């Protein structure tokens, strides 16, 4: 996009997509209700998040290829439609099997949206503002995610039916599909040739793209690792009961929300490359202090610091890659979203270290991950610096 002003009529429906993107996180609280309603063993309950997340690995790249041919808006609409169907299934028939199908639809839809929404956002905002609006979109998504458990609890206490949250989400998703399709959006396209599996994965031969994809892998891995180990850390190291220890997760998510909101503002004036390097350094510092502290108050402070600093790492890495190669946005987006599967690999490593050496040493995995991200941030910063020098030399010549 080259326009200087923000077109709110085009931006608003895309922001609604980010709200729908947050709907899929209802799966987290839904598993507790489903376990209670059907008296399930933990091994069956743990199958539900797997059914939601596995699609990131299998469908991300195909989605990027398809949207290169049929358009981002079309794929976004398909993704939101899948989520709408998934949300409405429990009202047709409610059983454990039907909820498995519901979660599969939500997982597939969420994968498609994650691939398509960010490149579509690029097409409706002013040039040079993508990082800022990516952070704002993630902020909107975080609010949507946090509201899920609250709405489910309200539906259960006020109406005796927690599943009413699905009805609200389903109707909102349908409205989102209609609004996006009614909006005219001029999409950035690759005019050279249509994307294929070969062209998509061949991008990994590009050192910059490969490193950015790895960046997403480690960012999501660190985020999920923090999310799943905060309670265990506060329990194991400070003897807190589970109810009080779990509040550490709320503290972490609050920091993420604040960080994304601040990022959406600061990135209007601060270079994405400098901001990435600075926040990665702060996240690393927070993780090191979290490992070192033996004080409960300071432990909570460090949890907040890690959340605040790492809040914008995902949108920064994603937007920097897209802005560098906008015509390959569909393929890059597919690779990036596939890398979200990092959230399935880092936590088990932490679990192994925790079981063998204790929860505190498991934090070393987070520190190592942050060190890798610092290396990636330095590479990106130096690449941009070299690119600017090259432009200056060409201008002089």
């Amino acid at each position: 996009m080259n326009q200087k002003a923000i077109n709110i009529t085009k931006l608003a429906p895309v922001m609604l997509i980010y709200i729908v993107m947050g709907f899929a996180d209802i799966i987290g609280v839904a598993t507790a209700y489903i376990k209670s309603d059907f008296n399930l063993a933990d091994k069956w309950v743990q199958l539900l998040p797997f059914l939601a997340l596995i699609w990131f690995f299998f469908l991300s790249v195909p989605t990027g290829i398809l949207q290169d041919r049929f358009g981002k808006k079309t794929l976004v609409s398909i993704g939101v439609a899948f989520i709408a169907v998934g949300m409405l299934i429990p009202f047709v028939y409610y059983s454990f099997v039907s909820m498995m199908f519901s979660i599969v639809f939500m997982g597939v839809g969420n994968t498609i949206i994650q691939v398509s929404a960010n490149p579509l956002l690029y097409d409706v905002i002013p040039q040079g503002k993508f990082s800022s609006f990516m952070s704002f979109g993630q902020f909107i998504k975080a609010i949507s995610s946090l509201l899920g458990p609250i709405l489910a609890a309200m539906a259960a206490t006020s109406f005796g039916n927690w599943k009413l949250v699905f009805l609200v989400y389903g109707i909102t998703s349908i409205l989102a599909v209609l609004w996006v399709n009614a909006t005219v959006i001029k999409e950035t396209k690759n005019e050279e040739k249509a994307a294929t599996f070969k062209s998509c994965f061949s991008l990994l031969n590009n050192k910059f793209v490969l490193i950015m994809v790895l960046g997403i892998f480690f960012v999501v891995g660190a985020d999920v690792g923090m999310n799943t180990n905060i309670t265990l850390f506060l329990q194991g190291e400070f003897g807190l009961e589970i109810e009080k220890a779990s509040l550490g997760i709320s503290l972490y998510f609050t920091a993420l929300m604040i960080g994304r909101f601040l990022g959406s503002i600061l990135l209007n004036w601060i270079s994405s490359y400098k901001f990435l390097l600075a926040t990665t350094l702060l996240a690393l510092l927070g993780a090191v202090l979290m490992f070192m502290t033996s004080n409960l108050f300071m432990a909570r402070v460090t949890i907040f610091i890690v959340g605040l600093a790492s809040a914008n790492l995902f949108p920064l890495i994603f937007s920097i890659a897209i802005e560098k190669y906008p015509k390959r946005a569909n393929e890059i987006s597919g690779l990036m979203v596939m890398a979200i599967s990092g959230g399935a690999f880092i936590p088990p490593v932490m679990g192994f270290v925790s079981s063998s050496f204790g929860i505190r040493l498991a934090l070393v995995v987070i520190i190592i991950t942050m060190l890798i991200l610092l290396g990636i941030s330095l590479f990106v910063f130096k690449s941009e610096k070299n690119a600017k020098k090259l432009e200056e030399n060409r201008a002089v010549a």
Side-chain angles (χ1 to χ4, degrees), residues 382-397:
K382 289 180 179 178
S383 296
E384 174 63 10
K385 199 172 181 180
N386 292 336
K388 285 185 176 180
K389 283 185 178 179
L390 185 61
E391 288 182 5
E392 291 173 0
N393 292 335
R394 286 176 177 174
V396 172

Side-chain angles (χ1 to χ4, degrees), residues 177-297:
V177 170
L178 295 175
W179 195 3
V180 168
N181 276 281
T183 304
V184 178
I185 298 175
K186 185 179 179 180
E187 299 184 22
T188 302
K189 296 182 179 180
N190 180 8
E191 303 293 346
E192 296 176 6
K193 59 180 180 180
T196 63
F197 278 98
K198 183 178 179 180
S199 69
C200 189
F201 284 105
S202 67
L203 278 171
L204 296 177
N205 293 323
N206 181 313
K207 185 179 179 180
F208 187 89
V209 173
L210 174 62
I211 287 177
M212 299 307 271
V213 170
L214 289 174
I216 294 293
F217 181 90
F218 288 111
V219 163
V220 177
D223 178 55
V224 177
M226 281 289 295
N227 184 23
T228 55
N229 283 277
I230 286 173
T231 301
L232 297 176
F233 172 66
L234 294 177
Q235 278 185 291
E237 294 297 316
F238 301 100
L240 297 184
E241 296 178 356
I242 187 170
E243 291 80 10
K244 291 184 178 180
S246 63
L247 292 177
I249 299 177
S250 298
L251 181 65
Y252 179 69
F253 276 112
T254 300
L256 286 175
M257 284 182 57
I258 294 172
R260 286 167 182 167
F261 179 72
L262 291 175
S264 67
I265 297 172
L266 293 173
L267 283 165
N268 285 292
W269 295 281
I270 301 175
S271 161
S272 301
Y273 301 88
K274 292 179 181 178
F275 200 64
L276 176 62
L277 182 57
T279 51
T280 306
L281 274 169
L282 183 59
L284 173 61
L285 175 62
V288 171
L289 291 175
M290 185 177 172
F291 171 75
M292 294 174 61
T293 187
S294 57
N295 178 276
L296 177 58
F297 175 76

Side-chain angles (χ1 to χ4, degrees), residues 139-156:
F139 168 70
I140 295 295
K141 176 184 177 293
I143 294 176
S144 178
S145 299
L146 283 175
L147 285 177
I150 298 172
L151 293 175
M154 289 176 58

